[in-house]
Amino acid sequence: MRKDYHVISTILGSMLIVLLLAGCGDQRILEKLGFMQANSFDLAENGQLEVAITMPKAEQKTSAQRVVLSTKARTGKEARMKLTREINLQIVSGQLRNSLFGMSLARNGLLKHLDTYQRDPSISPRVKLTIVRGSAKKMLEQSYIQHPIISRYIEGLLQKEAAGRSIPVSTVYTFIRDYYDDGIDPVMAVLRNKDNNIIIDGVALFHDDRYVAEIPADDGLVFSFLRGSFKQGDLSIHLNEGGANGGDTVMLTSIVSNRKVKVKRGAGGKPELTIKVSLKGTVIEYTGDHSITQPTEKRLLEKGMEKALNGRGDRLISLMQKNNADGLGLGISVRSHSSYREWKKMKWPEMYPSVKAKCVFSIEILNAGKIVE
């Protein structure tokens, strides 16, 4: 009996050792890893990519807080292999937060460059994607005095602007989702350098995975109104711009936006769309002569704001149709009002540029701030 117990104990002990050793095949010691926090991709000659990465500097004897490496390669993973040979650390992607793409590369299509983001389990689907006006590599390399760690700087900038709805959120997940959805096209924020800072410079519009046009930064919030409902944001509206004094300006805050898309069938069953946007907000600045506390004059001001936003919104819709970029997801609304057979027969990407589409804004001023007129 004792002999059998000894044999069983030996076997169980051997199995335990084998199991423990089997888990040691991919050991990664923290001190030997280089955590990539941001990377960039630019189009180079002969179809190659110019890839740059930034990592935090772990050495305490240096004042630099980050290191930037760059190389040319066919793919992002090939570039990482080359860059690993330049330093004494194993570069890993688990801390990647931001990926920047040069505009010239985006014009040629981004999907194949995002292949590794879909396959590599160490890369989060929440990695933020942005377009850079000019060289994405130079943006990573530049020193920003007040923001020594650029990955945190870009991350904070994008989060703050997305919270205020001046730009849409674009991640690996949302880009891939919108690319494969036949009723919407992807969008991204556009960044550029300005002196020692980075600024939001617009919203990039895509047809499939190719950059085709962009919306100016000043119209980013109007684009968000047309794209969906939300609560938050500050909006500046210029009225009577042809006036002697350059027109008036009204500023709304604490905005509550509600968006609905009305779809009806026109001649030959072709869809006609009206984007109805209802806005409610508080006036915190007004340079005109209307007395906002008087119902009649307040309504005149609201109508003036509605007219201005209708014009801006229709121009954005026209821009997107001209470039066949359905960044508003109008196709999703049409699809929800169609049978599967009707939708497939429609061939939305071909029909979209010629579809009748317009926007109608409805504005309600809830209060005029703390001023008593």
Side-chain angles (χ1 to χ4, degrees):
M1 184 70 178
R2 288 183 177 179
K3 184 176 181 182
D4 292 341
Y5 176 78
H6 179 71
V7 172
I8 292 172
S9 298
T10 303
I11 293 173
L12 290 175
S14 301
M15 292 175 64
L16 180 61
I17 292 172
V18 170
L19 289 172
L20 291 173
L21 290 176
C24 299
D26 188 25
Q27 287 186 343
R28 295 194 175 188
I29 301 172
L30 189 63
E31 290 78 7
K32 295 183 179 180
L33 299 179
F35 294 100
M36 186 191 335
Q37 293 182 331
N39 57 9
S40 68
F41 300 85
D42 290 291
L43 187 63
E45 64 275 3
N46 299 322
Q48 287 193 314
L49 298 175
E50 186 169 33
V51 182
I53 67 170
T54 178
M55 302 181 299
K57 194 94 169 181
E59 299 176 10
Q60 298 180 354
K61 295 182 180 180
T62 178
S63 59
Q65 297 190 39
R66 64 187 178 103
V67 58
V68 180
L69 303 172
S70 65
T71 189
K72 292 180 181 179
R74 291 288 179 182
T75 68
K77 282 293 188 284
E78 181 181 303
R80 194 178 75 173
M81 291 173 57
K82 289 184 177 182
L83 293 174
T84 297
R85 295 198 291 264
E86 298 181 15
I87 57 175
N88 61 343
L89 300 172
Q90 177 66 38
I91 300 174
V92 292
S93 306
Q95 293 296 313
L96 182 64
R97 292 294 177 265
N98 300 284
S99 288
L100 313 178
F101 298 91
M103 197 165 283
S104 57
L105 179 65
R107 286 192 175 98
N108 289 339
L110 295 181
L111 187 65
K112 65 180 181 180
H113 306 300
L114 295 176
D115 177 82
T116 184
Y117 289 73
Q118 301 176 70
R119 298 179 187 274
D120 189 342
S122 70
I123 298 178
S124 170
R126 293 181 294 179
V127 171
K128 291 182 174 59
L129 309 178
T130 50
I131 301 296
V132 175
R133 191 179 307 286
S135 170
K137 173 190 171 184
K138 289 182 179 179
M139 179 170 283
L140 278 190
E141 289 179 333
Q142 183 169 329
S143 296
Y144 304 92
I145 300 174
Q146 298 182 16
H147 308 280
I149 302 180
I150 187 173
S151 57
R152 293 181 186 173
Y153 178 27
I154 295 176
E155 176 86 359
L157 178 64
L158 294 175
Q159 285 182 346
K160 183 258 297 179
E161 292 297 314
R165 301 291 180 169
S166 61
I167 60 170
V169 176
S170 180
T171 64
V172 172
Y173 169 76
T174 61
F175 188 93
I176 299 299
R177 178 199 65 194
D178 292 348
Y179 172 80
Y180 285 109
D181 190 322
D182 57 359
I184 191 172
D185 284 313
V187 294
M188 282 190 198
V190 179
L191 302 178
R192 72 174 173 90
N193 281 320
K194 183 181 179 183
D195 301 326
N196 287 320
N197 294 291
I198 297 173
I199 66 170
I200 302 292
D201 206 33
V203 177
L205 302 172
F206 286 76
H207 175 68
D208 292 335
D209 68 330
R210 294 181 296 105
Y211 165 88
V212 291
E214 72 180 72
I215 291 170
D218 290 342
D219 285 327
L221 191 58
V222 178
F223 174 75
S224 294
F225 289 146
L226 299 175
R227 203 166 192 252
S229 304
F230 58 88
K231 298 178 181 179
Q232 205 170 1
D234 298 323
L235 175 65
S236 178
I237 304 174
H238 301 293
L239 308 172
N240 307 318
E241 293 189 84
N245 297 321
D248 303 326
T249 299
V250 58
M251 184 83 171
L252 286 181
T253 190
S254 303
I255 294 173
V256 178
S257 166
N258 184 44
R259 174 252 204 188
K260 294 181 179 179
V261 180
K262 182 180 179 181
V263 180
K264 70 175 185 178
R265 300 293 176 174
K270 195 171 184 179
E272 297 179 359
L273 300 100
T274 302
I275 306 173
K276 295 185 175 182
V277 181
S278 173
L279 299 181
K280 296 181 181 180
T282 298
V283 174
I284 56 171
E285 185 176 41
Y286 176 52
T287 63
D289 298 324
H290 289 296
S291 176
I292 304 177
T293 57
Q294 300 298 320
T296 304
E297 295 201 38
K298 185 181 82 166
R299 185 59 196 139
L300 287 174
L301 178 60
E302 289 170 344
K303 285 185 176 180
M305 296 164 66
E306 291 168 357
K307 181 180 179 181
L309 288 180
N310 286 339
R312 290 169 67 178
D314 285 339
R315 284 193 293 273
L316 295 184
I317 294 171
S318 176
L319 171 68
M320 285 180 272
Q321 288 188 286
K322 180 181 178 181
N323 291 279
N324 200 6
D326 187 8
L328 299 178
L330 297 182
I332 295 176
S333 298
V334 174
R335 187 175 62 198
S336 66
H337 288 78
S338 308
S339 67
Y340 178 80
R341 180 177 295 178
E342 288 174 335
W343 173 251
K344 289 301 180 182
K345 185 179 179 181
M346 195 178 297
K347 297 182 180 179
W348 178 249
E350 299 176 12
M351 179 182 290
Y352 168 67
S354 61
V355 165
K356 288 184 179 180
K358 65 178 182 178
C359 64
V360 177
F361 279 83
S362 174
I363 297 178
E364 180 183 353
I365 298 174
L366 297 179
N367 63 71
K370 64 182 181 180
I371 294 179
V372 179
E373 297 180 347

